[in-house]
Amino acid sequence: MLEVKNLVKSFGKTEVLKGISFSIKKGDVLSIIGSSGGGKTTLLRCLNFLEFAESGTIAVNGNVIYDGKEKDKMSDQYIREMRLHFGLVFQSFNLFPQYTVLKNITLAPTLLKTDTPENIEKKALELIEKVGLSSKINNYPCELSGGQQQRVAIARALALNPEILCFDEPTSALDPELTGEVLKVIKQLADQDMTLVIVTHEMSFAKEVSDYIIFMDNGVIAEQGTPQEVFEHPKSERLHAFLQNYQS
Amino acid sequence: MQLFLKVTLSLLEGLSTTLQIFGLTLLMALPLGLLISFGSMSKLKIVKYPIKTLIWIIRGTPLMLQLITFGLGPGLLGFKGVNLFYAVIVAFVLNYSCYFAEIFRGSIESIPKGQYEAGAVLGLTKRQVFFKIILMQVVKRIIAPMSNEFLTLVKDTSLANTIMIYEITWNAKRMMNSEHILWPLFYSGAFYLAFCGILTLIFGYIEKKLSYYKV
Ligand SMILES: Nc1ncnc2c1ncn2[C@@H]1O[C@H](COP(=O)(O)OP(=O)(O)O)[C@@H](O)[C@H]1O
Ligand SMILES: [Mg+2]
């Protein structure tokens, strides 16, 4: 359902993505691993139209929604519509501090008029329950722990029914004892057959939930395969060394 | 007692002028300041640099000098009958909008990029992002520096007495000279103190109102 072909993205003279291609099916969970600076965040940002690749294409359900050749011809409205195929959960949560948990989740659907106000609120409450925060509906982000904030951010992204939900190191900013609650929510989404793209350094988690793993290194996909292939039988020296680092 | 009443009335008269300068300056300098701050953040160099230069000149020279320029300049250049009060307002508005612009720019730029991006990936327009997400965070951040500026403005209005605007300080000086007494000076100080006291209370109230969230 998602097909990325030959994505190339540079910042100034440095090429950060050097031709990335992969595809995933509906309901798949793809994890992207790799050391810092490899281009993982940039790839997710390209999928969410926060960065625009110079060349390459992104297709969803067989329709090319992004083509680097035409990147200057897209209207703001087109970009906004295409973005809605994807959701993005940031490393730093980025909740809106002046709004309650509930309002954080209902804000975008309300502004986009995706449904009636009653239905939007009903759905938001369901999502809040799903991420286990029913007792915090009327709290403000500053009153929540990092793990709770990240769970609200996940609910906020889900409120728009994205076809593909992307996570950029969702637990990297959390204290170790809080990562579990967030991973549990993501696991739950994976079990419900949501299509997920997860950038993560949680190797055992990636191994457990993923259908497919991509190892990115220096802007290229250095190795890819099933969790079994990638974690048990790494072919390249780089991946081998990378995994060694995460053993301890 | 009669003298005290006379001085009080005179200072109250001055207060009305002071309030006019204060009110009109805020009324015009706040929106103009926001506009100037947008200009100073513009991607267009021909907008950005002239505005930055203006801000530099206005903030880099004494308000007193600007008041004299606008007050006496037109007359010396041959434009007769320029209303001094308007000249004072122009000088204050120009001066304060540049300070406000820097406060606005500082707080707008201090809002994390992630807030804009979180709004963008939720499919919101740039306008929605600014008005529904960014603005309230900016408001929160400008409260403290704004309260400083408001207090400074209260006291700066007294500079208008140098070009013959009959505000509080002018009237206090007139009473001192005509009655040969010192105390109207301190009495006028009490007016400023009370004015600033009220503003401080108002700002304290707003700050408390907004304390339910942190940015
Ligand atoms: N906005 C940007 N401007 C310039 N360079 C950038 C920008 N964003 C990322 N980079 C560079 O691109 C490279 C890849 O970054 P990133 O995608 O964040 O990698 P990762 O998420 O794998 O750590 C890094 O070298 C980084 O410095
Ligand atoms: Mg990253």
Side-chain angles (χ1 to χ4, degrees):
Chain A
M1 79 165 311
L2 169 64
E3 193 166 14
V4 172
K5 271 195 197 144
N6 261 318
L7 228 46
V8 175
K9 168 73 195 169
S10 316
F11 292 110
K13 285 197 195 89
T14 33
E15 219 171 55
V16 173
L17 300 179
K18 304 170 182 166
I20 299 290
S21 305
F22 65 90
S23 65
I24 54 179
K25 295 193 299 293
K26 193 168 160 49
D28 271 357
V29 175
L30 166 70
S31 288
I32 303 175
I33 59 173
S35 38
S36 177
K40 306 181 298 297
T41 296
T42 306
L43 174 58
L44 288 194
R45 290 172 62 85
C46 286
L47 294 181
N48 283 275
F49 293 74
L50 289 176
E51 303 289 353
F52 300 95
E54 289 94 51
S55 67
T57 57
I58 299 168
V60 175
N61 296 326
N63 303 315
V64 174
I65 62 167
Y66 180 84
D67 186 341
K69 285 201 294 284
E70 303 188 352
K71 77 179 165 86
D72 298 322
K73 292 185 204 149
M74 295 184 295
S75 68
D76 283 353
Q77 159 133 17
Y78 176 83
I79 292 172
R80 284 199 304 278
E81 283 169 12
M82 293 307 125
R83 265 182 183 144
L84 294 178
H85 288 290
F86 298 89
L88 177 60
V89 174
F90 299 87
Q91 185 173 345
S92 49
F93 332 133
N94 296 338
L95 293 183
F96 308 132
Q98 74 269 43
Y99 294 129
T100 61
V101 165
L102 182 61
K103 185 83 191 278
N104 259 279
I105 298 170
T106 55
L107 182 72
T110 306
L111 291 174
L112 299 179
K113 300 194 177 70
T114 55
D115 206 338
T116 63
E118 297 78 36
N119 287 343
I120 289 173
E121 177 159 336
K122 191 162 147 267
K123 170 140 195 251
L125 292 171
E126 283 167 20
L127 288 168
I128 294 172
E129 192 181 345
K130 191 165 169 179
V131 299
L133 288 171
S134 293
S135 62
K136 303 284 183 193
I137 318 173
N138 292 315
N139 285 82
Y140 289 90
C142 64
E143 301 165 332
L144 305 180
S145 72
Q148 292 170 332
Q149 290 191 47
Q150 192 60 299
R151 286 187 277 154
V152 175
I154 293 172
R156 180 175 71 178
L158 289 172
L160 290 172
N161 288 322
E163 291 161 77
I164 301 156
L165 186 52
C166 305
F167 295 83
D168 189 8
E169 302 193 29
T171 59
S172 292
L174 299 177
D175 293 334
E177 71 268 23
L178 298 178
T179 58
E181 59 188 67
V182 172
L183 296 180
K184 204 175 112 197
V185 169
I186 301 174
K187 171 97 173 51
Q188 204 182 317
L189 299 177
D191 291 342
Q192 287 163 1
D193 274 343
M194 271 216 60
T195 313
L196 308 178
V197 178
I198 311 169
V199 171
T200 184
H201 291 302
E202 300 283 338
M203 294 307 150
S204 53
F205 175 74
K207 197 166 161 181
E208 182 189 343
V209 299
S210 309
D211 298 290
Y212 207 71
I213 307 275
I214 283 177
F215 171 60
M216 271 182 80
D217 191 40
N218 265 321
V220 298
I221 295 181
E223 204 165 326
Q224 55 185 313
T226 62
Q228 189 89 50
E229 291 165 351
V230 169
F231 289 113
E232 311 295 337
H233 311 287
K235 291 188 218 89
S236 65
E237 200 50 44
R238 292 300 300 244
L239 177 54
H240 199 78
F242 174 77
L243 291 174
Q244 287 274 299
N245 257 328
Y246 279 89
Q247 292 291 299
S248 45
Chain B
M1 195 59 216
Q2 225 186 343
L3 183 61
F4 181 74
L5 210 66
K6 190 173 161 192
V7 173
T8 305
L9 282 177
S10 167
L11 291 186
L12 279 175
E13 230 173 82
L15 175 66
S16 119
T17 307
T18 295
L19 280 174
Q20 284 177 41
I21 301 175
F22 179 80
L24 288 172
T25 301
L26 289 184
L27 194 69
M28 292 186 264
L30 284 168
L32 186 61
L34 189 60
L35 220 63
I36 294 179
S37 80
F38 286 147
S40 72
M41 291 183 286
S42 171
K43 289 195 189 88
L44 297 173
K45 289 203 171 86
I46 49 162
V47 176
K48 180 174 169 171
Y49 288 107
I51 292 217
K52 289 247 181 213
T53 308
L54 174 74
I55 294 176
W56 172 59
I57 292 171
I58 294 293
R59 297 204 316 158
T61 56
L63 173 57
M64 177 81 98
L65 198 138
Q66 294 161 22
L67 277 169
I68 297 172
T69 306
F70 284 98
L72 308 182
L76 292 174
L77 290 176
F79 299 99
K80 299 293 172 208
V82 168
N83 183 321
L84 276 181
F85 182 74
Y86 292 151
V88 165
I89 295 300
V90 168
F92 269 94
V93 168
L94 195 60
N95 184 277
Y96 271 81
S97 48
C98 286
Y99 279 96
F100 290 160
E102 284 297 277
I103 293 177
F104 288 134
R105 186 182 61 79
S107 30
I108 290 175
E109 288 180 345
S110 73
I111 305 297
K113 205 171 73 166
Q115 290 290 311
Y116 292 90
E117 293 182 346
V121 296
L122 291 169
L124 305 185
T125 63
K126 289 201 176 85
R127 182 175 282 265
Q128 286 170 331
V129 170
F130 185 78
F131 285 104
K132 300 288 177 178
I133 298 170
I134 306 301
L135 191 59
M136 273 306 278
Q137 300 181 38
V138 171
V139 167
K140 175 128 179 168
R141 282 179 197 218
I142 62 176
I143 296 292
M146 273 299 169
S147 100
N148 268 336
E149 288 301 315
F150 277 44
L151 295 195
T152 308
L153 175 58
V154 169
K155 293 167 289 176
D156 276 353
T157 56
S158 70
L159 292 176
N161 92 83
T162 54
I163 52 167
M164 296 190 4
I165 299 297
Y166 305 151
E167 42 65 70
I168 298 178
T169 304
W170 171 280
N171 282 8
K173 268 173 31 188
R174 194 175 50 128
M175 284 294 141
M176 287 161 69
N177 289 332
S178 66
E179 308 289 336
H180 303 289
I181 43 174
L182 178 63
W183 60 265
L185 184 67
F186 302 114
Y187 193 14
S188 74
F191 273 71
Y192 290 108
L193 267 179
F195 195 168
C196 288
I198 293 170
L199 284 178
T200 306
L201 289 177
I202 294 175
F203 272 101
Y205 175 77
I206 298 175
E207 219 162 281
K208 204 163 148 214
K209 270 271 172 196
L210 293 178
S211 65
Y212 64 89
Y213 68 93
K214 293 199 184 74
V215 291

